[in-house]
Amino acid sequence: MGGGGEGHAPGVSIGVEEEFLLVDAVSGECVARAEDVLERAGPHRWRTSGGSFHTELLGSQVEAVTGVCHDLADLRAQLRYGRARLAEAAREDGALLVAAGTPVLGGSPPPAARGERFAAIVSAYGDVVEDYQACGCHVHVGVADRESAVAVVNHLRPWLPVLVALAANSPFDRGRPTRYAARRLMEMARFPGAGVPPWSASAADYDARVAALVESGALVDTAMTFWLARPSPRWPTVEVRAGDAAATADEAVLQAALVRGLVGAALADLAAGREAPRADGQVCAAALWNAARHGLDGAMVDPVSRRAVPAWRLVDGLIARAAPALEEAGDLDAVFALMEGVRRAGTGADRQRRAARRGGPRAVVDMLVRQTESGDLASVPDADTEPGAGPGGQVGGPDEGPAGAPDGIQGEKPDVWDAGERVPEPDAP
């Protein structure tokens, strides 16, 4: 998945893992039918390049993995295929496929999936994993070697909260409105070492940190770090797990393109001898919590400047940071178009809240099923045309409205990193 292929420049290859929930077609509650659905789905069409379908931690979760891709058109085709195949298999088994970071409706906790490793995880973490039905969108981007991967992760650290806010798609949790845009991040915080990874001086430094967590019993093995960005333990890639499960395939493409652009920017900095800013770990944690709580509504914390910044200005800064790599890959126009779709319709969390105001939690499930299967962000209604929308398309209070337009000071550049604002304070022990 997303591994570096022979004859391709580092950072070009890309792959995505999408985690989904299975819900009962009648009740809308999560159901443990993963094994049956995967058996019906059969082999992945792109299996020769790494595409596959898998179980996840609990029996109500399934995963679709793309093969190695080198352009967004191929990635989008594989994402749409994976969703369509799993959705068809789920319907054949009386279930529906849902792309959301957390379950919208309640229900009995599903059993863990079968397998020795899943059993070890349940044994290690006890009831912390009993109902852990969190689903994410994981992006892999190929890099040349492990040293490069660790250095790239350092550069990604300040941008992870922005990726979280853009992909927020979990405002409900088992029948309860949580008032978080990305409640999945709070679910992940149950585990040791979750969140923004520490700054690491080298691959050896990173490996020593992971080994210490395994030695202490906090991790089952070295493949089980919970950080939102890491060198993949299996592939020659950087893996970013910031985003909730994307409501549409288009939004998964957007997350993947932005991650690849940020990786390209990091590789360019490394080639020029520019080290990543050592943003303070606690400030990064605060920025991550803020992104999970508010999404793109209001201000976010910039971990580098340590200041509150309008959320959409940080988004513009991320695009400016990634733009050279996006343009080189031919992705910039696609990213602008997809980002306009998010500005227009709101994040997945915004859309869930609007659906709940119209028809309650079950209406949210029905909307998610439609979005999951269509995969098309362009088909999502505009925020300002939704029933119940107030002035400017706002629905409800600050915890319920769609993502707004950027801060928009005319003539002002996006809030990109300014070396004069950096506060070099390492995360070192």
PDB file of all heavy atoms in Angstrom, residues 36-73:
ATOM      1  N   ASP A  36     -18.679 -12.182   7.499  1.00  0.00           N
ATOM      2  CA  ASP A  36     -19.594 -12.539   6.416  1.00  0.00           C
ATOM      3  C   ASP A  36     -19.480 -11.558   5.251  1.00  0.00           C
ATOM      4  O   ASP A  36     -19.476 -11.959   4.081  1.00  0.00           O
ATOM      5  CB  ASP A  36     -21.030 -12.559   6.927  1.00  0.00           C
ATOM      6  CG  ASP A  36     -21.284 -13.699   7.902  1.00  0.00           C
ATOM      7  OD1 ASP A  36     -20.494 -14.668   7.886  1.00  0.00           O
ATOM      8  OD2 ASP A  36     -22.255 -13.611   8.675  1.00  0.00           O
ATOM      9  N   VAL A  37     -19.389 -10.274   5.574  1.00  0.00           N
ATOM     10  CA  VAL A  37     -19.299  -9.259   4.523  1.00  0.00           C
ATOM     11  C   VAL A  37     -18.011  -9.419   3.731  1.00  0.00           C
ATOM     12  O   VAL A  37     -18.010  -9.340   2.492  1.00  0.00           O
ATOM     13  CB  VAL A  37     -19.408  -7.849   5.136  1.00  0.00           C
ATOM     14  CG1 VAL A  37     -19.034  -6.776   4.109  1.00  0.00           C
ATOM     15  CG2 VAL A  37     -20.817  -7.608   5.669  1.00  0.00           C
ATOM     16  N   LEU A  38     -16.910  -9.662   4.415  1.00  0.00           N
ATOM     17  CA  LEU A  38     -15.626  -9.818   3.718  1.00  0.00           C
ATOM     18  C   LEU A  38     -15.623 -11.072   2.852  1.00  0.00           C
ATOM     19  O   LEU A  38     -15.041 -11.075   1.756  1.00  0.00           O
ATOM     20  CB  LEU A  38     -14.486  -9.848   4.732  1.00  0.00           C
ATOM     21  CG  LEU A  38     -14.212  -8.521   5.440  1.00  0.00           C
ATOM     22  CD1 LEU A  38     -13.209  -8.710   6.562  1.00  0.00           C
ATOM     23  CD2 LEU A  38     -13.717  -7.471   4.456  1.00  0.00           C
ATOM     24  N   GLU A  39     -16.274 -12.130   3.311  1.00  0.00           N
ATOM     25  CA  GLU A  39     -16.358 -13.341   2.495  1.00  0.00           C
ATOM     26  C   GLU A  39     -17.157 -13.068   1.221  1.00  0.00           C
ATOM     27  O   GLU A  39     -16.798 -13.531   0.132  1.00  0.00           O
ATOM     28  CB  GLU A  39     -17.008 -14.462   3.302  1.00  0.00           C
ATOM     29  CG  GLU A  39     -17.044 -15.785   2.558  1.00  0.00           C
ATOM     30  CD  GLU A  39     -17.605 -16.917   3.397  1.00  0.00           C
ATOM     31  OE1 GLU A  39     -17.870 -16.701   4.596  1.00  0.00           O
ATOM     32  OE2 GLU A  39     -17.776 -18.025   2.844  1.00  0.00           O
ATOM     33  N   ARG A  40     -18.228 -12.298   1.350  1.00  0.00           N
ATOM     34  CA  ARG A  40     -19.027 -11.954   0.177  1.00  0.00           C
ATOM     35  C   ARG A  40     -18.269 -11.019  -0.759  1.00  0.00           C
ATOM     36  O   ARG A  40     -18.425 -11.096  -1.991  1.00  0.00           O
ATOM     37  CB  ARG A  40     -20.336 -11.289   0.609  1.00  0.00           C
ATOM     38  CG  ARG A  40     -21.330 -12.205   1.306  1.00  0.00           C
ATOM     39  CD  ARG A  40     -22.562 -11.423   1.743  1.00  0.00           C
ATOM     40  NE  ARG A  40     -23.514 -12.243   2.475  1.00  0.00           N
ATOM     41  CZ  ARG A  40     -24.460 -12.988   1.943  1.00  0.00           C
ATOM     42  NH1 ARG A  40     -24.582 -13.023   0.616  1.00  0.00           N
ATOM     43  NH2 ARG A  40     -25.281 -13.696   2.688  1.00  0.00           N
ATOM     44  N   ALA A  41     -17.460 -10.137  -0.201  1.00  0.00           N
ATOM     45  CA  ALA A  41     -16.734  -9.154  -1.024  1.00  0.00           C
ATOM     46  C   ALA A  41     -15.709  -9.823  -1.926  1.00  0.00           C
ATOM     47  O   ALA A  41     -15.469  -9.365  -3.049  1.00  0.00           O
ATOM     48  CB  ALA A  41     -16.064  -8.121  -0.128  1.00  0.00           C
ATOM     49  N   GLY A  42     -15.072 -10.883  -1.441  1.00  0.00           N
ATOM     50  CA  GLY A  42     -14.088 -11.591  -2.251  1.00  0.00           C
ATOM     51  C   GLY A  42     -12.791 -10.818  -2.395  1.00  0.00           C
ATOM     52  O   GLY A  42     -12.543  -9.834  -1.686  1.00  0.00           O
ATOM     53  N   PRO A  43     -11.942 -11.224  -3.335  1.00  0.00           N
ATOM     54  CA  PRO A  43     -10.643 -10.569  -3.504  1.00  0.00           C
ATOM     55  C   PRO A  43     -10.785  -9.167  -4.102  1.00  0.00           C
ATOM     56  O   PRO A  43     -11.758  -8.875  -4.807  1.00  0.00           O
ATOM     57  CB  PRO A  43      -9.890 -11.504  -4.448  1.00  0.00           C
ATOM     58  CG  PRO A  43     -10.964 -12.222  -5.200  1.00  0.00           C
ATOM     59  CD  PRO A  43     -12.112 -12.372  -4.252  1.00  0.00           C
ATOM     60  N   HIS A  44      -9.818  -8.334  -3.819  1.00  0.00           N
ATOM     61  CA  HIS A  44      -9.785  -6.955  -4.311  1.00  0.00           C
ATOM     62  C   HIS A  44      -9.346  -6.923  -5.774  1.00  0.00           C
ATOM     63  O   HIS A  44      -8.460  -7.668  -6.186  1.00  0.00           O
ATOM     64  CB  HIS A  44      -8.804  -6.144  -3.454  1.00  0.00           C
ATOM     65  CG  HIS A  44      -8.926  -4.666  -3.561  1.00  0.00           C
ATOM     66  ND1 HIS A  44      -8.486  -3.964  -4.660  1.00  0.00           N
ATOM     67  CD2 HIS A  44      -9.427  -3.742  -2.699  1.00  0.00           C
ATOM     68  CE1 HIS A  44      -8.703  -2.665  -4.475  1.00  0.00           C
ATOM     69  NE2 HIS A  44      -9.278  -2.498  -3.293  1.00  0.00           N
ATOM     70  N   ARG A  45      -9.978  -6.065  -6.566  1.00  0.00           N
ATOM     71  CA  ARG A  45      -9.655  -5.986  -7.989  1.00  0.00           C
ATOM     72  C   ARG A  45      -8.193  -5.600  -8.215  1.00  0.00           C
ATOM     73  O   ARG A  45      -7.571  -6.033  -9.195  1.00  0.00           O
ATOM     74  CB  ARG A  45     -10.579  -4.968  -8.672  1.00  0.00           C
ATOM     75  CG  ARG A  45     -10.338  -4.820 -10.173  1.00  0.00           C
ATOM     76  CD  ARG A  45     -11.236  -3.745 -10.769  1.00  0.00           C
ATOM     77  NE  ARG A  45     -12.647  -4.097 -10.642  1.00  0.00           N
ATOM     78  CZ  ARG A  45     -13.651  -3.240 -10.881  1.00  0.00           C
ATOM     79  NH1 ARG A  45     -13.384  -1.992 -11.213  1.00  0.00           N
ATOM     80  NH2 ARG A  45     -14.907  -3.643 -10.775  1.00  0.00           N
ATOM     81  N   TRP A  46      -7.618  -4.786  -7.334  1.00  0.00           N
ATOM     82  CA  TRP A  46      -6.229  -4.337  -7.479  1.00  0.00           C
ATOM     83  C   TRP A  46      -5.290  -5.101  -6.530  1.00  0.00           C
ATOM     84  O   TRP A  46      -4.297  -4.560  -6.073  1.00  0.00           O
ATOM     85  CB  TRP A  46      -6.140  -2.841  -7.204  1.00  0.00           C
ATOM     86  CG  TRP A  46      -6.508  -1.981  -8.372  1.00  0.00           C
ATOM     87  CD1 TRP A  46      -5.679  -1.562  -9.375  1.00  0.00           C
ATOM     88  CD2 TRP A  46      -7.788  -1.427  -8.682  1.00  0.00           C
ATOM     89  NE1 TRP A  46      -6.362  -0.787 -10.277  1.00  0.00           N
ATOM     90  CE2 TRP A  46      -7.672  -0.683  -9.885  1.00  0.00           C
ATOM     91  CE3 TRP A  46      -9.047  -1.478  -8.067  1.00  0.00           C
ATOM     92  CZ2 TRP A  46      -8.737   0.001 -10.458  1.00  0.00           C
ATOM     93  CZ3 TRP A  46     -10.111  -0.810  -8.642  1.00  0.00           C
ATOM     94  CH2 TRP A  46      -9.952  -0.083  -9.821  1.00  0.00           C
ATOM     95  N   ARG A  47      -5.595  -6.356  -6.275  1.00  0.00           N
ATOM     96  CA  ARG A  47      -4.797  -7.119  -5.305  1.00  0.00           C
ATOM     97  C   ARG A  47      -3.351  -7.290  -5.749  1.00  0.00           C
ATOM     98  O   ARG A  47      -2.460  -7.418  -4.891  1.00  0.00           O
ATOM     99  CB  ARG A  47      -5.427  -8.474  -5.027  1.00  0.00           C
ATOM    100  CG  ARG A  47      -5.617  -9.375  -6.237  1.00  0.00           C
ATOM    101  CD  ARG A  47      -6.451 -10.599  -5.880  1.00  0.00           C
ATOM    102  NE  ARG A  47      -6.719 -11.461  -7.018  1.00  0.00           N
ATOM    103  CZ  ARG A  47      -7.703 -11.249  -7.898  1.00  0.00           C
ATOM    104  NH1 ARG A  47      -8.491 -10.192  -7.764  1.00  0.00           N
ATOM    105  NH2 ARG A  47      -7.904 -12.081  -8.898  1.00  0.00           N
ATOM    106  N   THR A  48      -3.074  -7.285  -7.052  1.00  0.00           N
ATOM    107  CA  THR A  48      -1.691  -7.483  -7.498  1.00  0.00           C
ATOM    108  C   THR A  48      -0.793  -6.314  -7.124  1.00  0.00           C
ATOM    109  O   THR A  48       0.432  -6.458  -7.078  1.00  0.00           O
ATOM    110  CB  THR A  48      -1.634  -7.698  -9.017  1.00  0.00           C
ATOM    111  OG1 THR A  48      -2.238  -6.582  -9.677  1.00  0.00           O
ATOM    112  CG2 THR A  48      -2.356  -8.979  -9.407  1.00  0.00           C
ATOM    113  N   SER A  49      -1.381  -5.141  -6.859  1.00  0.00           N
ATOM    114  CA  SER A  49      -0.573  -3.993  -6.434  1.00  0.00           C
ATOM    115  C   SER A  49      -0.784  -3.656  -4.964  1.00  0.00           C
ATOM    116  O   SER A  49      -0.377  -2.583  -4.505  1.00  0.00           O
ATOM    117  CB  SER A  49      -0.902  -2.759  -7.288  1.00  0.00           C
ATOM    118  OG  SER A  49      -2.250  -2.354  -7.095  1.00  0.00           O
ATOM    119  N   GLY A  50      -1.411  -4.569  -4.209  1.00  0.00           N
ATOM    120  CA  GLY A  50      -1.561  -4.382  -2.769  1.00  0.00           C
ATOM    121  C   GLY A  50      -2.966  -4.120  -2.293  1.00  0.00           C
ATOM    122  O   GLY A  50      -3.191  -4.002  -1.085  1.00  0.00           O
ATOM    123  N   GLY A  51      -3.939  -4.021  -3.184  1.00  0.00           N
ATOM    124  CA  GLY A  51      -5.318  -3.790  -2.767  1.00  0.00           C
ATOM    125  C   GLY A  51      -5.879  -4.991  -2.021  1.00  0.00           C
ATOM    126  O   GLY A  51      -5.610  -6.141  -2.373  1.00  0.00           O
ATOM    127  N   SER A  52      -6.667  -4.710  -0.978  1.00  0.00           N
ATOM    128  CA  SER A  52      -7.196  -5.815  -0.175  1.00  0.00           C
ATOM    129  C   SER A  52      -8.347  -5.337   0.695  1.00  0.00           C
ATOM    130  O   SER A  52      -8.564  -4.138   0.874  1.00  0.00           O
ATOM    131  CB  SER A  52      -6.094  -6.409   0.711  1.00  0.00           C
ATOM    132  OG  SER A  52      -5.538  -5.399   1.551  1.00  0.00           O
ATOM    133  N   PHE A  53      -9.083  -6.304   1.239  1.00  0.00           N
ATOM    134  CA  PHE A  53     -10.130  -6.058   2.230  1.00  0.00           C
ATOM    135  C   PHE A  53      -9.745  -6.803   3.505  1.00  0.00           C
ATOM    136  O   PHE A  53      -9.238  -7.925   3.443  1.00  0.00           O
ATOM    137  CB  PHE A  53     -11.487  -6.555   1.730  1.00  0.00           C
ATOM    138  CG  PHE A  53     -11.970  -5.877   0.479  1.00  0.00           C
ATOM    139  CD1 PHE A  53     -12.227  -6.622  -0.675  1.00  0.00           C
ATOM    140  CD2 PHE A  53     -12.175  -4.507   0.441  1.00  0.00           C
ATOM    141  CE1 PHE A  53     -12.684  -6.006  -1.828  1.00  0.00           C
ATOM    142  CE2 PHE A  53     -12.624  -3.882  -0.712  1.00  0.00           C
ATOM    143  CZ  PHE A  53     -12.881  -4.628  -1.853  1.00  0.00           C
ATOM    144  N   HIS A  54     -10.027  -6.187   4.656  1.00  0.00           N
ATOM    145  CA  HIS A  54      -9.582  -6.776   5.926  1.00  0.00           C
ATOM    146  C   HIS A  54     -10.629  -6.596   7.021  1.00  0.00           C
ATOM    147  O   HIS A  54     -11.482  -5.704   6.951  1.00  0.00           O
ATOM    148  CB  HIS A  54      -8.292  -6.104   6.417  1.00  0.00           C
ATOM    149  CG  HIS A  54      -7.113  -6.314   5.542  1.00  0.00           C
ATOM    150  ND1 HIS A  54      -6.475  -7.523   5.412  1.00  0.00           N
ATOM    151  CD2 HIS A  54      -6.441  -5.447   4.740  1.00  0.00           C
ATOM    152  CE1 HIS A  54      -5.466  -7.402   4.577  1.00  0.00           C
ATOM    153  NE2 HIS A  54      -5.426  -6.152   4.146  1.00  0.00           N
ATOM    154  N   THR A  55     -10.493  -7.411   8.070  1.00  0.00           N
ATOM    155  CA  THR A  55     -11.176  -7.151   9.330  1.00  0.00           C
ATOM    156  C   THR A  55     -10.429  -6.049  10.068  1.00  0.00           C
ATOM    157  O   THR A  55      -9.274  -5.748   9.763  1.00  0.00           O
ATOM    158  CB  THR A  55     -11.197  -8.410  10.215  1.00  0.00           C
ATOM    159  OG1 THR A  55      -9.857  -8.866  10.425  1.00  0.00           O
ATOM    160  CG2 THR A  55     -12.010  -9.507   9.587  1.00  0.00           C
ATOM    161  N   GLU A  56     -11.096  -5.455  11.037  1.00  0.00           N
ATOM    162  CA  GLU A  56     -10.443  -4.513  11.940  1.00  0.00           C
ATOM    163  C   GLU A  56     -10.595  -5.049  13.360  1.00  0.00           C
ATOM    164  O   GLU A  56     -10.917  -6.209  13.553  1.00  0.00           O
ATOM    165  CB  GLU A  56     -11.048  -3.106  11.788  1.00  0.00           C
ATOM    166  CG  GLU A  56     -10.160  -2.123  11.013  1.00  0.00           C
ATOM    167  CD  GLU A  56      -8.799  -1.931  11.664  1.00  0.00           C
ATOM    168  OE1 GLU A  56      -8.727  -1.871  12.914  1.00  0.00           O
ATOM    169  OE2 GLU A  56      -7.799  -1.864  10.937  1.00  0.00           O
ATOM    170  N   LEU A  57     -10.362  -4.188  14.345  1.00  0.00           N
ATOM    171  CA  LEU A  57     -10.323  -4.646  15.727  1.00  0.00           C
ATOM    172  C   LEU A  57     -11.619  -5.321  16.166  1.00  0.00           C
ATOM    173  O   LEU A  57     -11.602  -6.386  16.783  1.00  0.00           O
ATOM    174  CB  LEU A  57      -9.993  -3.465  16.653  1.00  0.00           C
ATOM    175  CG  LEU A  57      -9.989  -3.761  18.155  1.00  0.00           C
ATOM    176  CD1 LEU A  57      -8.933  -4.816  18.495  1.00  0.00           C
ATOM    177  CD2 LEU A  57      -9.742  -2.481  18.944  1.00  0.00           C
ATOM    178  N   LEU A  58     -12.761  -4.718  15.846  1.00  0.00           N
ATOM    179  CA  LEU A  58     -14.039  -5.248  16.290  1.00  0.00           C
ATOM    180  C   LEU A  58     -14.835  -5.799  15.111  1.00  0.00           C
ATOM    181  O   LEU A  58     -14.615  -5.415  13.957  1.00  0.00           O
ATOM    182  CB  LEU A  58     -14.838  -4.169  17.012  1.00  0.00           C
ATOM    183  CG  LEU A  58     -14.198  -3.615  18.300  1.00  0.00           C
ATOM    184  CD1 LEU A  58     -15.096  -2.573  18.942  1.00  0.00           C
ATOM    185  CD2 LEU A  58     -13.888  -4.736  19.287  1.00  0.00           C
ATOM    186  N   GLY A  59     -15.779  -6.669  15.416  1.00  0.00           N
ATOM    187  CA  GLY A  59     -16.521  -7.370  14.379  1.00  0.00           C
ATOM    188  C   GLY A  59     -17.459  -6.502  13.567  1.00  0.00           C
ATOM    189  O   GLY A  59     -18.033  -6.967  12.579  1.00  0.00           O
ATOM    190  N   SER A  60     -17.634  -5.236  13.963  1.00  0.00           N
ATOM    191  CA  SER A  60     -18.495  -4.323  13.222  1.00  0.00           C
ATOM    192  C   SER A  60     -17.707  -3.459  12.247  1.00  0.00           C
ATOM    193  O   SER A  60     -18.278  -2.561  11.616  1.00  0.00           O
ATOM    194  CB  SER A  60     -19.236  -3.403  14.197  1.00  0.00           C
ATOM    195  OG  SER A  60     -18.295  -2.649  14.970  1.00  0.00           O
ATOM    196  N   GLN A  61     -16.414  -3.720  12.111  1.00  0.00           N
ATOM    197  CA  GLN A  61     -15.558  -2.872  11.285  1.00  0.00           C
ATOM    198  C   GLN A  61     -14.934  -3.671  10.143  1.00  0.00           C
ATOM    199  O   GLN A  61     -14.530  -4.822  10.322  1.00  0.00           O
ATOM    200  CB  GLN A  61     -14.434  -2.263  12.124  1.00  0.00           C
ATOM    201  CG  GLN A  61     -14.912  -1.331  13.235  1.00  0.00           C
ATOM    202  CD  GLN A  61     -13.775  -0.947  14.173  1.00  0.00           C
ATOM    203  OE1 GLN A  61     -13.246  -1.794  14.894  1.00  0.00           O
ATOM    204  NE2 GLN A  61     -13.393   0.315  14.141  1.00  0.00           N
ATOM    205  N   VAL A  62     -14.846  -3.029   8.977  1.00  0.00           N
ATOM    206  CA  VAL A  62     -14.135  -3.605   7.838  1.00  0.00           C
ATOM    207  C   VAL A  62     -13.222  -2.528   7.258  1.00  0.00           C
ATOM    208  O   VAL A  62     -13.422  -1.327   7.483  1.00  0.00           O
ATOM    209  CB  VAL A  62     -15.092  -4.126   6.750  1.00  0.00           C
ATOM    210  CG1 VAL A  62     -15.834  -5.353   7.236  1.00  0.00           C
ATOM    211  CG2 VAL A  62     -16.060  -3.041   6.297  1.00  0.00           C
ATOM    212  N   GLU A  63     -12.237  -2.970   6.507  1.00  0.00           N
ATOM    213  CA  GLU A  63     -11.256  -2.039   5.950  1.00  0.00           C
ATOM    214  C   GLU A  63     -11.025  -2.344   4.479  1.00  0.00           C
ATOM    215  O   GLU A  63     -10.918  -3.512   4.080  1.00  0.00           O
ATOM    216  CB  GLU A  63      -9.933  -2.168   6.719  1.00  0.00           C
ATOM    217  CG  GLU A  63      -8.825  -1.274   6.213  1.00  0.00           C
ATOM    218  CD  GLU A  63      -7.539  -1.469   7.002  1.00  0.00           C
ATOM    219  OE1 GLU A  63      -6.838  -2.485   6.779  1.00  0.00           O
ATOM    220  OE2 GLU A  63      -7.237  -0.619   7.856  1.00  0.00           O
ATOM    221  N   ALA A  64     -10.936  -1.288   3.675  1.00  0.00           N
ATOM    222  CA  ALA A  64     -10.565  -1.402   2.268  1.00  0.00           C
ATOM    223  C   ALA A  64      -9.224  -0.712   2.079  1.00  0.00           C
ATOM    224  O   ALA A  64      -9.045   0.436   2.491  1.00  0.00           O
ATOM    225  CB  ALA A  64     -11.616  -0.751   1.369  1.00  0.00           C
ATOM    226  N   VAL A  65      -8.280  -1.412   1.473  1.00  0.00           N
ATOM    227  CA  VAL A  65      -6.933  -0.897   1.252  1.00  0.00           C
ATOM    228  C   VAL A  65      -6.703  -0.784  -0.246  1.00  0.00           C
ATOM    229  O   VAL A  65      -6.921  -1.743  -0.987  1.00  0.00           O
ATOM    230  CB  VAL A  65      -5.875  -1.837   1.877  1.00  0.00           C
ATOM    231  CG1 VAL A  65      -4.469  -1.296   1.657  1.00  0.00           C
ATOM    232  CG2 VAL A  65      -6.150  -2.050   3.362  1.00  0.00           C
ATOM    233  N   THR A  66      -6.271   0.380  -0.715  1.00  0.00           N
ATOM    234  CA  THR A  66      -5.949   0.515  -2.128  1.00  0.00           C
ATOM    235  C   THR A  66      -4.608  -0.132  -2.418  1.00  0.00           C
ATOM    236  O   THR A  66      -3.795  -0.347  -1.524  1.00  0.00           O
ATOM    237  CB  THR A  66      -5.875   1.988  -2.559  1.00  0.00           C
ATOM    238  OG1 THR A  66      -4.700   2.596  -1.994  1.00  0.00           O
ATOM    239  CG2 THR A  66      -7.114   2.764  -2.128  1.00  0.00           C
ATOM    240  N   GLY A  67      -4.370  -0.425  -3.685  1.00  0.00           N
ATOM    241  CA  GLY A  67      -3.035  -0.794  -4.104  1.00  0.00           C
ATOM    242  C   GLY A  67      -2.159   0.444  -4.200  1.00  0.00           C
ATOM    243  O   GLY A  67      -2.588   1.566  -3.903  1.00  0.00           O
ATOM    244  N   VAL A  68      -0.922   0.259  -4.598  1.00  0.00           N
ATOM    245  CA  VAL A  68      -0.005   1.377  -4.785  1.00  0.00           C
ATOM    246  C   VAL A  68      -0.488   2.222  -5.960  1.00  0.00           C
ATOM    247  O   VAL A  68      -0.739   1.705  -7.052  1.00  0.00           O
ATOM    248  CB  VAL A  68       1.430   0.876  -5.055  1.00  0.00           C
ATOM    249  CG1 VAL A  68       2.365   2.056  -5.318  1.00  0.00           C
ATOM    250  CG2 VAL A  68       1.928   0.055  -3.876  1.00  0.00           C
ATOM    251  N   CYS A  69      -0.638   3.524  -5.733  1.00  0.00           N
ATOM    252  CA  CYS A  69      -1.093   4.458  -6.765  1.00  0.00           C
ATOM    253  C   CYS A  69      -0.029   5.522  -6.987  1.00  0.00           C
ATOM    254  O   CYS A  69       0.791   5.796  -6.100  1.00  0.00           O
ATOM    255  CB  CYS A  69      -2.400   5.124  -6.352  1.00  0.00           C
ATOM    256  SG  CYS A  69      -3.757   3.980  -6.011  1.00  0.00           S
ATOM    257  N   HIS A  70      -0.075   6.139  -8.174  1.00  0.00           N
ATOM    258  CA  HIS A  70       0.855   7.222  -8.473  1.00  0.00           C
ATOM    259  C   HIS A  70       0.156   8.480  -8.960  1.00  0.00           C
ATOM    260  O   HIS A  70       0.811   9.479  -9.239  1.00  0.00           O
ATOM    261  CB  HIS A  70       1.897   6.759  -9.496  1.00  0.00           C
ATOM    262  CG  HIS A  70       2.779   5.678  -8.971  1.00  0.00           C
ATOM    263  ND1 HIS A  70       3.822   5.912  -8.114  1.00  0.00           N
ATOM    264  CD2 HIS A  70       2.738   4.334  -9.154  1.00  0.00           C
ATOM    265  CE1 HIS A  70       4.412   4.765  -7.801  1.00  0.00           C
ATOM    266  NE2 HIS A  70       3.763   3.789  -8.419  1.00  0.00           N
ATOM    267  N   ASP A  71      -1.178   8.448  -9.082  1.00  0.00           N
ATOM    268  CA  ASP A  71      -1.911   9.655  -9.427  1.00  0.00           C
ATOM    269  C   ASP A  71      -3.274   9.601  -8.757  1.00  0.00           C
ATOM    270  O   ASP A  71      -3.762   8.531  -8.364  1.00  0.00           O
ATOM    271  CB  ASP A  71      -2.050   9.831 -10.940  1.00  0.00           C
ATOM    272  CG  ASP A  71      -2.811   8.683 -11.592  1.00  0.00           C
ATOM    273  OD1 ASP A  71      -4.037   8.572 -11.379  1.00  0.00           O
ATOM    274  OD2 ASP A  71      -2.168   7.887 -12.309  1.00  0.00           O
ATOM    275  N   LEU A  72      -3.906  10.771  -8.616  1.00  0.00           N
ATOM    276  CA  LEU A  72      -5.161  10.856  -7.884  1.00  0.00           C
ATOM    277  C   LEU A  72      -6.313  10.179  -8.611  1.00  0.00           C
ATOM    278  O   LEU A  72      -7.247   9.677  -7.969  1.00  0.00           O
ATOM    279  CB  LEU A  72      -5.507  12.319  -7.614  1.00  0.00           C
ATOM    280  CG  LEU A  72      -4.542  13.100  -6.714  1.00  0.00           C
ATOM    281  CD1 LEU A  72      -5.125  14.467  -6.382  1.00  0.00           C
ATOM    282  CD2 LEU A  72      -4.210  12.331  -5.435  1.00  0.00           C
ATOM    283  N   ALA A  73      -6.281  10.150  -9.941  1.00  0.00           N
ATOM    284  CA  ALA A  73      -7.355   9.486 -10.684  1.00  0.00           C
ATOM    285  C   ALA A  73      -7.389   7.995 -10.366  1.00  0.00           C
ATOM    286  O   ALA A  73      -8.458   7.413 -10.148  1.00  0.00           O
ATOM    287  CB  ALA A  73      -7.170   9.710 -12.180  1.00  0.00           C
TER     288      ALA A  73
END
